[in-house]
Amino acid sequence: MRGKGIHYDTGMFVLGTHSRPTFDPGVVEQEIRIIAEDLHCNAIRVVGDDPDRIDVAARCAAAAGLRVWYSPFPCEMTNRQMLPFFVDCAERAERLRQDGADVVLVTGCELSRFARGYLPGDTFAERVPVLAGPGREAALQGVPDRVNAFLGEVVDAVRPVFGGLVTYASNPLDGVDWSPFDIVGLDAFRGLRNAATYREDLRREFAHGKPVAILEVGCCTFRGAGDYGGAGWYVAMEPDGVTLKSGLVRDEGEQVRYIDDLMPVFDEEGVDSVFWFSFIAGRSPHRTQGGPDLDMASYSIVKLLDEKHGIPSPARAYPDLPWEPKEAFHALAGRYAALK
């Protein structure tokens, strides 16, 4: 496995709020240094909807010696809005590449779900229930054709301004034609729905004759979350998307078991790069008292500390930062350190 990576969110508007309301470049630099030195990553997927923020984090990552997967992530944009956004980010990524960094451009993520115009609903919150309802099959008619038509436009637009490798973060609904891309990029969550065929499904992606990268994989932090994979947050939250359901049991070991199950699969099947989802969830604080433990519904491998109910400073691993490692942080660090 060439790329030992982590998904790093610089912030985006989704479900009506911002995923990382506070963005301090000094904190970002510290976090990325920890990702390189303590988590033993050699690659990072820098994600967000603000090109300036992506640039800050990407340059910190390059300075730390990480391969940068430059990942603009528009949410709720139309095709007309996304095309110039991707070109702008491609130009920025090329400037970073010309400065000596190793950069891969990721031209968006799961457009069928996150962009407007592919599924019914003006917002992500409105589109998700469509996929779980009786109108799912009708709603998906023609989606791959529309996704591929637009991705073709995107690749044609970014190639003249970006000289590195280009990929896209796909889910199965997108039905991507990989011929315009250099790398097959998969958001490859495993749950009960696809557990029996997971390895076989992954193996089929190598038939394109291109490197295969896992751009997102992980699970939430409640007992049984691994059964739901990428839908864990949906299972854990009430329909409003902000209220945690009752009855969940915190279990950091769930994420460790998920890592232990899937890392051997990726290694044995010859996956080029893996990016665990995710480093930090900027709006899901961990609480032991005084309110809901929203971190249970997050995929992050560190727990954001509640300001009033945090861990006392003397017991903290990183006292200058607003989070602490979960069990998954240490498990993933051990896995990555062992990979040569």
Side-chain angles (χ1 to χ4, degrees):
M1 189 181 300
R2 190 163 60 103
K4 303 178 291 182
I6 193 77
H7 178 287
Y8 187 84
D9 179 30
T10 64
M12 67 188 74
F13 281 97
V14 63
L15 293 172
T17 58
H18 201 280
S19 67
R20 193 157 189 185
T22 302
F23 185 83
D24 181 333
V27 169
V28 170
E29 184 179 14
Q30 284 181 275
E31 290 175 343
I32 289 176
R33 188 166 62 249
I34 289 167
I35 286 169
E37 297 175 1
D38 297 357
L39 195 56
H40 304 294
C41 289
N42 60 13
I44 186 171
R45 181 183 173 200
V46 181
V47 176
D49 65 7
D50 182 336
D52 290 337
R53 285 188 175 195
I54 299 173
D55 253 3
V56 168
R59 290 189 174 276
C60 289
L66 298 174
R67 189 183 202 196
V68 179
W69 292 55
Y70 202 103
S71 304
F73 192 140
C75 186
E76 318 301 14
M77 286 189 189
T78 64
N79 288 357
R80 179 175 292 185
Q81 293 168 321
M82 285 189 290
L83 192 58
F85 173 72
F86 285 136
V87 171
D88 177 28
C89 289
E91 291 170 343
R92 292 166 181 259
E94 178 62 14
R95 288 195 289 271
L96 181 61
R97 199 179 73 87
Q98 290 294 330
D99 288 342
D102 189 351
V103 185
V104 175
L105 179 65
V106 184
T107 55
C109 177
E110 301 187 26
L111 297 183
S112 58
R113 297 201 304 151
F114 287 102
R116 293 177 64 182
Y118 293 97
L119 291 172
D122 288 336
T123 66
F124 179 67
E126 293 172 352
R127 293 188 290 272
V128 169
V130 172
L131 296 174
R136 173 188 170 94
E137 294 306 317
L140 290 174
Q141 289 294 318
V143 166
D145 290 341
R146 297 199 300 276
V147 168
N148 283 307
F150 179 62
L151 288 177
E153 291 183 43
V154 173
V155 174
D156 287 344
V158 302
R159 289 283 192 197
V161 298
F162 179 73
L165 301 178
V166 179
T167 188
Y168 166 73
S170 69
N171 69 26
L173 304 181
D174 294 331
V176 176
D177 170 11
W178 291 106
S179 57
F181 294 99
D182 303 302
I183 300 168
V184 175
L186 310 173
D187 290 355
F189 294 91
R190 189 199 65 180
L192 288 179
R193 172 186 55 80
N194 65 343
T197 62
Y198 187 84
R199 187 187 286 261
E200 181 183 343
D201 294 341
L202 175 60
R203 192 172 291 168
R204 277 200 295 267
E205 299 296 345
F206 289 86
H208 303 287
K210 299 180 179 185
V212 174
I214 307 297
L215 295 182
E216 285 185 22
V217 63
C219 74
C220 293
T221 322
F222 63 89
R223 189 168 300 163
D227 291 344
Y228 303 103
W233 67 273
Y234 186 71
V235 172
M237 304 301 288
E238 296 290 354
D240 62 8
V242 295
T243 305
L244 191 71
K245 288 181 179 176
S246 61
L248 298 178
V249 177
R250 182 176 183 84
D251 186 358
E252 292 190 16
E254 187 80 10
Q255 292 180 306
V256 176
R257 292 186 289 274
Y258 203 83
I259 290 170
D260 288 344
D261 283 349
L262 293 185
M263 279 294 288
V265 174
F266 301 147
D267 195 29
E268 291 162 11
E269 295 302 325
V271 167
D272 177 85
S273 300
V274 172
F275 297 86
W276 283 90
F277 181 74
S278 175
F279 184 75
I280 190 167
R283 61 180 184 186
S284 300
H286 167 55
R287 299 185 180 102
T288 57
Q289 58 180 329
D293 182 9
L294 294 176
D295 181 68
M296 284 196 290
S298 87
Y299 297 78
S300 63
I301 63 168
V302 304
K303 49 196 170 193
L304 183 68
L305 302 179
D306 179 79
E307 292 180 357
K308 296 181 180 179
H309 305 287
I311 300 173
S313 293
R316 293 183 53 193
Y318 299 103
D320 295 333
L321 293 169
W323 51 262
E324 280 290 293
K326 295 183 191 177
E327 293 174 17
F329 179 101
H330 301 295
L332 189 60
R335 288 276 182 177
Y336 280 167
L339 285 174
K340 303 300 182 183

